[in-house]
Amino acid sequence: MSSSSGAEPAAELPVARLLPLLGLAHLDREFDYLVTQKDSEAAQPGVRVRIRFGGRLVDAIVTSRESTSEHEGTLRFIERVISPAVVAPENVRSLVDALAQRYAGIRSDIYRSAIPARHVKAEETDRSSPWESLGQATEPDLSAWTGYEFGQSFVDAVVAGKLARAAWQIAPGERWAGAVAALAAKVAIDGGGALIVVPDQRDVDACEQALREVVGPRQITVLTSAQGPQARYSRYLSILCGQGRLVVGTRSAAFAPVQNLKLMVLLHDGDDNLVDPRAPYVHAREVMTTRCALEKVSLLIGAHSRTAEVQLLVESGWMHELVAPREVLRVRGPLIRAAGDSAFALERDPRAGQARLPSVAFQVATQALRRGAPVLFQVPRTGYVRSLACGQCRTPARCRWCNGPLSLPHGGEAAAPSCGWCGRVDPAHVCPVCGSRRLRAVVLGTERTAEELGRAFPRTKVRTSWGERILDSVPREAMIVVATPGAEPRVAEGGYGAAVLLDTWALLARPDLRAVEDAFEKWCAAATLVEKRGDGGEVIVVADPALAPVQHLIRWDVVGHAALELEQRREARFPPAVHVAVVDGPRAALEDFFAHTQLPEHAEKLGPVDMPAGVDVPGEWDRPTYGHAQRMLVRSPLARRAELGRALRIGMVNRATRKQDLPLRIQVDPVDIG
């Protein structure tokens, strides 16, 4: 071992093992550099340094310090230590390593999401004040958790510092932000660290407001992508030094290195905003479950419904349930009915099952308006991808071989429908529900909904909440609120007098594996905003009452719906019952990649097929020569999950080594398969 300059190496542990942050698969490994005596104290594991690599200066992270190097050639010295701050402590480095294997990703890409960019002025901020001196915290009220079975036991375990993992089904009318804030504040007051991760800024604001009722505003550390570089890095440093003990944030906050972490909370894990849109497309739920296993930290995942992934964790025994008793749900929840849910209702209104606004919905809305209460109309947002459904009963058309969604090829209205997953053509599709051979295209447009309701209720004010015009709250007065899922405003005092869920068939008919799960979550979220049945609260679902998700909603059987969804996924071999990787790229790139990638023995390839409508692979290439973008699915048993991620990662390294520069995208267990 020798140096490339006249500088003297450090007396102790002169070799620094570094990970260059290059974003290249074949260079996603450690390299050895020498440390000078001057930089020895600062160049500790987890510190960012500057090195000369391949003739240019690049950033790197120190992963370890060694006394010797296995490299037989000449070692370079690091150019300088960017900052002595240990921005990637050992727990963060272990987490990134595990996620890189899980998602077949490059570690530098994950570090980019986990660690904010450095800002010099942020390092000048005083972080010497302890958390307790930043405000006056009061003892929180934890009584909300006693309304759930085993809720008190979970709280006791978290407060005592024991390991507890729970799936929380938020009861109707529950002020979830207040319950979470009380538990997190209690952990922080007792000296532990608490981390709350939510999908969007709206939920961050709700949690921050609830926390301010218990602790001071300076005792809350908010970490979101909307903050400027200086604010984000400054708050990250305050978390590193232990001053930020109570952290609330969006997706990337799941990596926050909270000291003495005792509790992690993830809310609404089915929301797409929790998935990083950049490679390797890490989901915050996987970050936090992996972190829970590595760091032995209590974890709470809460939502109005339950995803199949969380249900799998519950059924495996890794996580327990926090569910309100049935009698509590009946008292706190609104009355939920489906249009045409009885022979008497169908006799009075024969078109109740097909009409967009059946008479029962009109009557319920009118009664609520007369009481001076607002009425919520939930409508799916515009622009769902077109798919095929039964022309008679609107059951989504599925492939008879792999159960993928059937759709029409691009540009061919007269062409036979084909599967979006395995590519097989099905010219003679028969509906498994009603036996009809007719198919219809499902296209939704909701722009005129508010106008239609304005004509139906001419003397009532109509307000809308969607897109960039989202309302935070509405006053308690007679009005109609038309909102898309996720944009429903809260009522300033109390809840909505009634809610009508329109165009439910369009949500259920989306060509998406999670269509039913997402629709059920949206319905539950809207129903929780309605006042309890004792006060006249009522929800009308404009859907076939025989549908399983409609029946589960009427009974508020969230656990039953999740169990059924998971069982159906097992039968059809869908995630999370199996492990699936989606590989997108030009035809030539796919052929080359799989020709040089050794997949696990039990891996099964499906495709290639055309990309879903509106989805493409970023990058430029000669399409006539290399072919249009296509998609290949790789499916393997859960027990082989690590093997598949490792094989795909090795395949990406081999591809980079062979200098294949055609675009290629790998997504492991993506939210949307197509």
Side-chain angles (χ1 to χ4, degrees), residues 243-381:
Q243 187 184 65
R245 187 185 293 179
L246 194 52
V247 182
V248 181
T250 49
R251 180 181 59 236
S252 60
F255 292 94
V258 182
Q259 289 194 11
N260 193 26
L261 185 60
K262 298 296 184 183
L263 172 67
M264 294 188 296
V265 180
L266 177 64
L267 291 163
H268 314 304
D269 67 295
D271 196 300
D272 293 352
N273 289 326
L274 292 171
V275 183
D276 194 329
R278 300 170 298 181
Y281 313 101
V282 176
H283 196 299
R285 179 183 56 237
E286 299 304 317
V287 176
M288 299 180 79
T289 52
T290 303
R291 192 172 180 180
C292 174
L294 292 175
E295 301 181 34
K296 309 302 180 185
V297 178
S298 294
L299 174 64
L300 176 69
I301 299 180
H304 297 109
S305 67
R306 181 183 292 178
T307 59
E309 285 78 6
V310 173
Q311 180 64 22
L312 180 65
L313 295 176
V314 171
E315 292 188 6
S316 66
W318 193 83
M319 180 171 277
H320 298 286
E321 295 180 318
L322 290 183
V323 183
R326 177 60 55 185
E327 55 272 16
V328 173
L329 295 176
R330 280 198 297 266
V331 172
R332 297 179 60 173
L335 175 64
I336 304 176
R337 293 190 289 160
D341 60 354
S342 66
F344 177 73
L346 288 174
E347 183 178 349
R348 294 187 60 186
D349 187 4
R351 296 184 66 252
Q354 291 81 30
R356 188 158 191 251
L357 186 63
S359 60
V360 62
F362 184 86
Q363 294 168 4
V364 168
T366 301
Q367 292 171 2
L369 293 172
R370 288 174 179 171
R371 299 199 312 268
V375 178
L376 173 66
F377 283 82
Q378 186 194 73
V379 291
R381 65 183 76 237

Side-chain angles (χ1 to χ4, degrees), residues 275-524:
V275 183
D276 194 329
R278 300 170 298 181
Y281 313 101
V282 176
H283 196 299
R285 179 183 56 237
E286 299 304 317
V287 176
M288 299 180 79
T289 52
T290 303
R291 192 172 180 180
C292 174
L294 292 175
E295 301 181 34
K296 309 302 180 185
V297 178
S298 294
L299 174 64
L300 176 69
I301 299 180
H304 297 109
S305 67
R306 181 183 292 178
T307 59
E309 285 78 6
V310 173
Q311 180 64 22
L312 180 65
L313 295 176
V314 171
E315 292 188 6
S316 66
W318 193 83
M319 180 171 277
H320 298 286
E321 295 180 318
L322 290 183
V323 183
R326 177 60 55 185
E327 55 272 16
V328 173
L329 295 176
R330 280 198 297 266
V331 172
R332 297 179 60 173
L335 175 64
I336 304 176
R337 293 190 289 160
D341 60 354
S342 66
F344 177 73
L346 288 174
E347 183 178 349
R348 294 187 60 186
D349 187 4
R351 296 184 66 252
Q354 291 81 30
R356 188 158 191 251
L357 186 63
S359 60
V360 62
F362 184 86
Q363 294 168 4
V364 168
T366 301
Q367 292 171 2
L369 293 172
R370 288 174 179 171
R371 299 199 312 268
V375 178
L376 173 66
F377 283 82
Q378 186 194 73
V379 291
R381 65 183 76 237
T382 306
Y384 278 111
V385 178
R386 187 173 75 174
S387 62
L388 294 177
C390 174
Q392 181 169 321
C393 68
R394 290 177 174 169
T395 299
R398 290 286 182 177
C399 173
R400 68 180 76 179
W401 291 279
C402 75
N403 209 33
L406 292 183
S407 60
L408 292 175
H410 301 309
E413 291 292 336
S418 61
C419 177
W421 289 2
C422 69
R424 288 186 174 93
V425 178
D426 191 358
H429 175 78
V430 178
C431 177
V433 176
C434 68
S436 174
R437 293 180 178 273
R438 292 190 300 112
L439 291 173
R440 63 179 294 167
V442 178
V443 182
L444 179 64
T446 60
E447 289 81 357
R448 295 180 60 87
T449 301
E451 182 180 344
E452 294 172 359
L453 291 173
R455 289 196 297 264
F457 300 91
R459 299 180 181 179
T460 305
K461 178 167 59 176
V462 179
R463 302 190 67 179
T464 60
S465 179
W466 51 28
E468 297 180 355
R469 300 177 299 170
I470 297 178
L471 303 175
D472 290 330
S473 63
V474 294
R476 173 77 179 189
E477 61 182 54
M479 70 169 65
I480 289 176
V481 179
V482 181
T484 51
E488 302 94 344
R490 289 189 171 273
V491 181
E493 297 180 4
Y496 288 96
V500 180
L501 310 180
L502 294 175
D503 298 333
T504 54
W505 57 270
L507 283 173
L508 297 172
R510 287 169 50 212
D512 192 323
L513 169 67
R514 303 177 187 274
V516 176
E517 181 180 275
D518 290 345
F520 189 76
E521 163 66 19
K522 292 174 173 64
W523 298 346
C524 289

Side-chain angles (χ1 to χ4, degrees), residues 115-324:
I115 304 174
R118 180 181 181 240
H119 196 283
V120 177
K121 287 192 174 181
E123 296 180 347
E124 301 173 359
T125 306
D126 179 28
R127 295 182 296 275
S128 60
S129 302
W131 182 83
E132 290 83 0
S133 67
L134 298 178
Q136 186 65 40
T138 59
E139 194 67 22
D141 180 11
L142 298 171
S143 60
W145 297 100
T146 60
Y148 297 87
E149 295 179 352
F150 309 110
Q152 188 61 52
S153 300
F154 175 77
V155 170
D156 292 343
V158 171
V159 172
K162 299 178 181 178
L163 179 61
R165 300 182 290 254
W168 176 36
Q169 263 49 70
I170 303 172
E174 181 69 77
R175 186 172 171 263
W176 58 264
V180 169
L183 181 58
K186 177 61 177 176
V187 171
I189 292 171
D190 289 350
L195 172 62
I196 305 172
V197 177
V198 293
D200 52 41
Q201 186 65 46
R202 197 177 179 205
D203 291 334
V204 170
D205 294 340
C207 289
E208 185 179 9
Q209 182 179 355
L211 284 169
R212 288 190 177 195
E213 298 177 5
V214 186
V215 299
R218 295 183 60 202
Q219 292 177 303
I220 307 167
T221 303
V222 177
L223 207 59
T224 69
S225 59
Q227 295 164 339
Q230 180 177 349
R232 183 169 175 78
Y233 189 57
S234 175
R235 297 180 188 197
Y236 186 84
L237 293 178
S238 73
I239 296 171
L240 273 172
C241 71
Q243 187 184 65
R245 187 185 293 179
L246 194 52
V247 182
V248 181
T250 49
R251 180 181 59 236
S252 60
F255 292 94
V258 182
Q259 289 194 11
N260 193 26
L261 185 60
K262 298 296 184 183
L263 172 67
M264 294 188 296
V265 180
L266 177 64
L267 291 163
H268 314 304
D269 67 295
D271 196 300
D272 293 352
N273 289 326
L274 292 171
V275 183
D276 194 329
R278 300 170 298 181
Y281 313 101
V282 176
H283 196 299
R285 179 183 56 237
E286 299 304 317
V287 176
M288 299 180 79
T289 52
T290 303
R291 192 172 180 180
C292 174
L294 292 175
E295 301 181 34
K296 309 302 180 185
V297 178
S298 294
L299 174 64
L300 176 69
I301 299 180
H304 297 109
S305 67
R306 181 183 292 178
T307 59
E309 285 78 6
V310 173
Q311 180 64 22
L312 180 65
L313 295 176
V314 171
E315 292 188 6
S316 66
W318 193 83
M319 180 171 277
H320 298 286
E321 295 180 318
L322 290 183
V323 183

